[in-house]
Amino acid sequence: MQLPAEAVEHTALIEVVRLSGLPAGRDDPYPGTVVAHWSGNDVSTALSLMASLPGSEQHRCGFAPGWSVRAYDEHLGEALFEAAFCFTCHEVRMRGTAVPPAPSTQFFDPDSSPARTLLSLFRRAQE
């Protein structure tokens, strides 16, 4: 998966969000409950897993993401990027101040080891 390089370099905190729906507007964040805040090594691990997600073909499900991550720099202002993951249709949608239009929609293999590990981390964060 292609991540915005500048954002990766400056990410100091990641919010893990259990999503409850789709955004009301184009610039609104995905609605849901923040279940965890990751910093330090947890940020490095999460970004590394996301960057290593292998590509996949799109599988139609209507895009019903269950999880999102929001990356912030040390100032904790507006999110550098938000990535919403649908493990059913193999799609991740990214947006934010550091996201160029080209990689905003990507497809990943949810059965890959990095994807299974990432999903496990999301689920553990919710506990």
Side-chain angles (χ1 to χ4, degrees):
M1 181 175 141
Q2 185 180 18
L3 294 171
E6 184 177 321
V8 169
E9 181 182 329
H10 292 101
T11 298
L13 178 94
I14 290 178
E15 281 184 332
V16 179
V17 183
R18 183 62 166 134
L19 299 179
S20 58
L22 295 175
R26 176 177 214 135
D27 296 325
D28 294 335
Y30 284 84
T33 304
V34 175
V35 297
H37 289 99
W38 293 339
S39 61
N41 287 337
D42 292 335
V43 166
S44 299
T45 298
L47 292 174
S48 197
L49 285 169
M50 287 187 276
S52 67
L53 290 173
S56 177
E57 298 287 322
Q58 180 179 16
H59 292 247
R60 295 275 181 206
C61 84
F63 191 66
W67 298 96
S68 169
V69 294
R70 296 180 188 137
Y72 296 91
D73 66 14
E74 63 186 16
H75 302 292
L76 304 177
E78 189 174 349
L80 298 170
F81 71 89
E82 179 176 23
F85 294 86
C86 180
F87 284 81
T88 304
C89 68
H90 307 194
E91 187 172 342
V92 60
R93 293 184 186 173
M94 284 194 300
R95 60 181 165 178
T97 59
V99 179
S104 61
T105 298
Q106 299 178 55
F107 301 96
F108 67 99
D109 179 358
D111 295 320
S112 68
S113 179
R116 288 192 316 267
T117 301
L118 188 61
L119 182 59
S120 175
L121 292 175
F122 291 160
R123 288 177 174 157
R124 270 191 270 150
Q126 187 177 11
E127 296 175 350

